[in-house]
Amino acid sequence: IDGRAPVKLVWAREDDMRAGWYRPMYVHAVRGAVDKDGAPVAWHHRVVGQSIMKGSPFEFFIKDGIDPTSVEGAANTPYAIPNLQVELQATALGVPIQWWRSVGHTHTAFVMETFIDELAAAAGKDPVEFRRGLLGKAPRHLGVLNLAAEKAGWGSPLPAGRARGIAVHESFDSFVSEVAEVSIEGGRPRVHRVVCAVDCGVAINPDIIRMQMEGGIAYALSALLYGEVTLKDGVVQQANFDTYKVLRIPDMPLVEVHIVPSAAAPTGVGEPGVPPLGPA
């Protein structure tokens, strides 16, 4: 009664889902060009979205109006593009937002890697070879790219109706490349196999590294196939796992994780497995 007694609050799932913090929505617009030899010569990238750090204890990281988590993975791309411009327009919305696993890399990796594929197609080049030509000064990116491609059998024949995609991305000082083997079933993507290569420095506990990569891949695939929160008249429409679907066991692909031997300082593994899955 005096204001110091503990209070136990128990929310139902419906309360939690409709009164939580959400992943911010971002929109990207990208234009690029390749020269007559198929080499990229220009990349213009505009990012629009809500700042995660604004209003948080970490707001001091925002410099000159730029929330670094909004452009991480894009503004510091390892690809050798001679003319690169990345712009950010921060929006102010009433939706409460917070960090989501791998933070800004969740959207920047998707856009960077899918657009690299578009440039490779415009250049008439294989996606892996195209990336190799742009990563001459990024040996650790190149290392995981090559390992994932090799272990996935990149370029070898696939069963009818299946295709492969690849992506490589650095987040939290770790380097991850993933190859996804995909088909379309009932008009929806079905991921059958994911081959992951990770360079996170010294592998202190290889089992934990593998588990985190596997979990990150499942987490990302769940969001890609099903994850959606929508609002109507300011109210979240999803309430429980009947309306907010998540990945089920039959959707889980076979995952292979290959760890790059390294003498570098150990780095993060809890989040870097997420960003490459979507674009792959």
Side-chain angles (χ1 to χ4, degrees):
I1 305 300
D2 63 4
R4 291 179 293 176
V7 175
K8 181 178 182 180
L9 173 64
V10 180
W11 280 10
R13 172 67 66 185
E14 289 77 7
D15 299 322
D16 183 58
M17 197 163 284
R18 287 177 166 162
W21 301 84
Y22 303 98
R23 179 190 182 198
M25 178 182 288
Y26 277 87
V27 175
H28 294 242
V30 188
R31 295 183 300 162
V34 294
D35 63 19
K36 61 182 177 59
D37 297 319
V41 291
W43 182 300
H44 180 261
H45 195 147
R46 181 171 289 129
V47 183
V48 179
Q50 198 172 351
S51 168
I52 295 174
M53 288 187 169
K54 188 174 182 180
S56 80
F58 301 98
E59 190 167 350
F60 65 88
F61 280 111
I62 299 176
K63 304 295 183 185
D64 300 322
I66 303 295
D67 181 339
T69 66
S70 296
V71 294
E72 61 186 0
N76 59 336
T77 179
Y79 292 120
I81 300 167
N83 300 288
L84 172 73
Q85 179 162 308
V86 179
E87 304 169 355
L88 173 66
Q89 175 64 53
T91 56
L93 302 174
V95 180
I97 60 166
Q98 266 295 349
W99 284 260
W100 194 80
R101 190 173 181 179
S102 77
V103 199
H105 298 281
T106 62
H107 56 94
T108 58
F110 185 88
V111 175
M112 295 299 295
E113 289 300 288
T114 53
F115 197 69
I116 280 288
D117 278 347
E118 292 197 24
L119 289 181
K125 295 185 178 180
D126 173 82
V128 172
E129 289 302 322
F130 189 73
R131 284 172 170 82
R132 284 173 178 157
L134 301 176
L135 293 173
K137 295 184 178 180
R140 297 180 75 179
H141 288 84
L142 190 57
V144 291
L145 177 76
N146 287 336
L147 182 59
E150 174 196 343
K151 296 297 184 180
W154 187 266
S156 63
L158 281 167
R162 292 198 187 186
R164 291 188 188 96
I166 194 165
V168 59
H169 193 76
E170 175 192 357
S171 59
F172 303 93
D173 298 319
S174 292
F175 306 80
V176 178
S177 181
E178 292 169 4
V179 175
E181 188 175 311
V182 185
S183 68
I184 299 296
E185 294 184 3
R188 295 179 60 85
R190 171 68 188 273
V191 181
H192 301 273
R193 179 188 182 209
V194 176
V195 177
C196 171
V198 53
D199 178 352
C200 56
V202 174
I204 302 297
N205 188 325
D207 284 341
I208 287 179
I209 295 170
R210 292 188 185 94
M211 287 188 288
Q212 287 294 332
M213 293 301 114
E214 291 167 357
I217 287 165
Y219 189 84
L221 185 57
S222 183
L224 286 156
L225 293 180
Y226 303 115
E228 182 179 44
V229 168
T230 55
L231 292 95
K232 184 177 181 180
D233 300 325
V235 177
V236 173
Q237 293 179 287
Q238 293 73 24
N240 210 315
F241 290 120
D242 57 339
T243 49
Y244 183 82
K245 295 183 179 180
V246 296
L247 194 74
R248 306 299 170 92
I249 289 175
D251 296 324
M252 185 64 191
L254 173 68
V255 177
E256 304 168 25
V257 178
H258 303 276
I259 301 169
V260 174
S262 175
T267 48
V269 293
E271 304 190 75
V274 174
L277 194 277

